[in-house]
Amino acid sequence: MFQGASAINLDAKGRMSIPAKHRDALAIQCDGRLTLTRHPDGCVMLFPRPVWEQHRQQIAQWPMQARAWQRIFLGYATDVELDTAGRILIAPELRTAVGIEREVMLMGMGSHFEIWDAAKMAEKEQQAIDAGTPDVLANFSF
């Protein structure tokens, strides 16, 4: 179960260091084998490979009416591995597609991570706050 936010800077080659707290879990769960893909909300999703494989099989079975969505999820999917320094490379095409620059936020989302351009994420969060609490959360309380 991945949770928490980490502010990270990409290096000049587009590599991102995975925080140690997650790196160890990923090494155990999937031997450092990961898959990145695009999310239509404007972020990159980072999956342990076994988790991605389950999603990939489901997505591949979608009907023709969902072909454009298959292209978004499967077409941008890229297999990566943690290097010896605990980094992954986010492909230039993927960075461009979601508008990732240098400063990113890695967000634990349970079974996977989202990687956001830091400024874009702050803007999205403010939009959500400004829009108010959605009806589906009306009965939610801590």
Side-chain angles (χ1 to χ4, degrees):
M1 187 66 125
F2 304 110
Q3 63 184 20
S6 301
I8 302 169
N9 287 324
L10 300 182
D11 70 13
K13 295 180 181 179
R15 293 177 298 195
M16 181 183 86
S17 291
I18 301 295
K21 65 182 177 181
H22 299 306
R23 192 180 317 147
D24 296 340
L26 289 169
I28 292 167
Q29 183 178 352
C30 60
D31 207 23
R33 297 178 16 217
L34 309 165
T35 300
L36 301 170
T37 195
R38 179 182 180 182
H39 191 286
D41 282 349
C43 67
V44 172
M45 293 183 292
L46 168 62
F47 292 93
R49 185 92 36 87
V51 174
W52 169 250
E53 288 298 326
Q54 294 171 359
H55 290 294
R56 186 188 56 76
Q57 289 174 5
Q58 291 174 335
I59 295 166
Q61 295 175 9
W62 289 351
M64 285 302 291
Q65 296 92 327
R67 193 70 169 160
W69 290 98
Q70 283 177 318
R71 283 188 198 101
I72 290 170
F73 295 118
L74 299 178
Y76 281 95
T78 306
D79 292 337
V80 297
E81 292 190 20
L82 286 171
D83 67 12
T84 56
R87 299 172 301 192
I88 57 167
L89 174 66
I90 303 174
E93 297 84 2
L94 199 48
R95 293 193 314 264
T96 299
V98 300
I100 286 179
E101 297 292 329
R102 181 168 156 66
E103 296 177 5
V104 299
M105 291 294 294
L106 178 70
M107 305 296 293
M109 300 298 292
S111 66
H112 67 284
F113 296 92
E114 291 180 352
I115 304 168
W116 285 88
D117 178 80
K120 189 176 197 178
M121 183 180 173
E123 181 180 316
K124 288 262 190 191
E125 284 180 348
Q126 191 59 54
Q127 288 172 355
I129 291 167
D130 292 346
T133 307
D135 292 340
V136 71
L137 298 180
N139 295 319
F140 178 77
S141 176
F142 282 105

